[in-house]
Amino acid sequence: RSGFAAQGNDGGTSSSNTAGGGGGGYAAAGGNGSSTTGGAGGAGYDVSAFIAGSALFKAGGGGGSGSTGGAGGSSVGGAGGSNGDGTAASANTGGGGGAGGNGSTSTARNGGNGGSGIVYIRFKV
């Protein structure tokens, strides 16, 4: 029997008040915001070795918001909002949702939902 536990990394730093840093993922910290572009979410964990299958990432960080939202980590974290709401993380990934961007109005923007949690347990018979 084997398993693993995950703890996320730190989020990235915002760039002034125009671009947020990306959320930390399992394998890497989130990227810093740059000018008006949100930071990318941190990389997730590839469970392919654990499940003896093809590449399958889990626990990627959510992207930071900005005029251009940052990408979600490992294609499973939600993308940051481009002056709008952040997107949700992929289902069954344990990834972070993207940050909501404030845009040019006083309209509140919502962060995307995180992906549902995951548990892997492998039994050796």
Side-chain angles (χ1 to χ4, degrees):
R1 208 173 41 185
S2 62
F4 65 90
Q7 178 176 339
N9 283 280
D10 293 341
T13 302
S14 66
S15 171
S16 184
N17 62 349
T18 56
Y26 174 86
N32 295 334
S34 174
S35 185
T36 58
T37 300
Y45 178 74
D46 184 0
V47 298
S48 61
F50 185 76
I51 63 171
S54 58
L56 181 64
F57 284 90
K58 304 291 182 180
S65 63
S67 294
T68 302
S74 299
S75 299
V76 295
S82 297
N83 293 334
D85 293 340
T87 60
S90 299
N92 303 316
T93 62
N102 65 1
S104 59
T105 67
S106 61
T107 303
R109 303 296 184 181
N110 299 310
N113 292 328
S116 52
I118 55 167
V119 175
Y120 284 96
I121 301 172
R122 181 173 61 184
F123 291 92
K124 186 174 183 179
V125 291

